[in-house]
Amino acid sequence: MEAILIGALLILSRHDSLKGMVFTASTIIACLIFILNIIIDKKLQNRHIPEQYFENMEEDDLPESIRKYLSTANIAMKIMYYNSNEINSHLIQRNHCNYIILTSAVLQKLNTYEMAALIFHEIGHIKKSHHKKIRFYYGLRNAAFIVFISLCSCLCIKLSLSTLQALIFCFISIELFMWGLRLLLCWLQRNQEYDADKFVTTHLERKFLVSALNKTNKSFSGNFFSKHPNVSQRIDRISNYA
């Protein structure tokens, strides 16, 4: 796909009369991709979650702090669980409803306060609109990709590079560009995890979140290309929150 786009833009850009049209067309295509991405995202969000794989948690089974919060919070939300030995939780948004998914290990191995901490963490993602921000990022990324290729093509023409030199230049530039976007995405998602942790500490004592994190058997490298900080990094941040 990249090769086709680069090749087409390079060929068209070699004609002086088409240079302005190429950049204009690329910008229009970028805008259309951004809009199309929003439309597709809306369609995907309207899909129903396959509830046959999950079990609903009854209100009486929820921690008291969660029940009190949900009684006043205006959030369309369901809390469900599925069988797994891994202590974990995650959030799925479908059809204008937020589904907080827990593993059965959370119910079996964590105490009430620790389970509440994991649920509040996912509620933090909802309240901070983290999923919407990531979807917006993906739309911008797709649009920026088209514009960037167009700029690379124009630069190749300005530098009078041969077709082979231009292709090499564009491929290297695009790879660096995509790596940069990936780094940005990972940084955003790591900070969202910290942000959701901070939300927990406004509703529960931080020791319960720390205890729950220590019991999880998920490990992340926590490097620049990790979408999640590792447990020790999260606990360090939690201990420093005011």
Side-chain angles (χ1 to χ4, degrees):
M1 184 63 178
E2 291 178 13
I4 294 172
L5 284 170
I6 293 170
L9 287 171
L10 282 172
I11 292 170
L12 291 171
S13 296
R14 298 221 176 257
H15 300 278
D16 290 336
S17 60
L18 295 177
K19 287 181 182 179
M21 291 177 59
V22 168
F23 185 74
T24 302
S26 300
T27 305
I28 292 172
I29 291 171
C31 293
L32 290 175
I33 287 176
F34 182 69
I35 294 170
L36 183 62
N37 191 82
I38 293 174
I39 294 172
I40 292 173
D41 183 66
K42 289 286 186 183
K43 293 289 184 182
L44 292 175
Q45 288 301 306
N46 288 332
R47 291 182 303 167
H48 290 282
I49 187 171
E51 297 188 24
Q52 66 269 26
Y53 298 114
F54 306 104
E55 297 287 342
N56 277 306
M57 284 192 67
E58 301 298 331
E59 186 175 344
D60 291 341
D61 296 327
L62 295 175
E64 183 181 357
S65 56
I66 297 296
R67 292 202 303 270
K68 286 183 177 179
Y69 180 83
L70 293 180
S71 66
T72 57
N74 185 24
I75 302 176
M77 187 176 75
K78 287 185 178 181
I79 301 176
M80 312 176 80
Y81 69 93
Y82 66 99
N83 290 326
S84 174
N85 292 324
E86 182 181 31
I87 297 175
N88 192 23
S89 64
H90 62 277
L91 175 67
I92 300 176
Q93 294 181 321
R94 292 285 189 276
N95 202 26
H96 307 293
C97 184
N98 300 284
Y99 295 85
I100 293 178
I101 311 296
L102 307 174
T103 60
S104 56
V106 170
L107 282 62
Q108 297 164 1
K109 299 178 181 179
L110 300 188
N111 64 39
T112 302
Y113 296 105
E114 292 166 342
M115 182 169 66
L118 291 189
I119 296 174
F120 270 125
H121 176 88
E122 302 305 333
I123 293 174
H125 284 306
I126 298 169
K127 295 294 288 183
K128 303 288 185 177
S129 300
H130 288 161
H131 279 59
K132 291 181 181 179
K133 291 173 182 177
I134 292 299
R135 293 198 298 270
F136 182 75
Y137 166 87
Y138 277 117
L140 274 181
R141 184 198 66 175
N142 294 338
F145 177 70
I146 300 297
V147 174
F148 185 76
I149 290 178
S150 174
L151 290 171
C152 284
S153 300
C154 292
L155 184 59
C156 290
I157 300 300
K158 187 175 181 180
L159 296 175
S160 301
L161 299 179
S162 67
T163 301
L164 179 59
Q165 289 174 327
L167 285 172
I168 294 172
F169 171 79
C170 286
F171 272 118
I172 293 174
S173 299
I174 288 170
E175 283 300 310
L176 292 174
F177 180 70
M178 296 306 291
W179 277 104
L181 289 177
R182 184 184 171 191
L183 279 170
L184 177 59
L185 174 63
C186 292
W187 177 81
L188 286 171
Q189 292 185 303
R190 287 197 303 273
N191 276 277
Q192 287 184 346
E193 291 301 310
Y194 292 135
D195 209 17
D197 285 343
K198 189 172 184 179
F199 179 83
V200 177
T201 64
T202 63
H203 296 277
L204 283 177
E205 291 184 52
R206 67 191 71 194
K207 65 180 181 182
F208 299 124
L209 178 58
V210 170
S211 177
L213 290 174
N214 280 324
K215 290 183 180 180
T216 59
N217 43 16
K218 290 192 72 174
S219 60
F220 301 97
S221 63
N223 62 30
F224 291 121
F225 293 103
S226 174
K227 294 180 180 180
H228 281 74
N230 63 39
V231 170
S232 62
Q233 289 173 326
R234 290 175 66 178
I235 290 174
D236 286 343
R237 286 285 189 101
I238 293 166
S239 63
N240 291 322
Y241 289 143

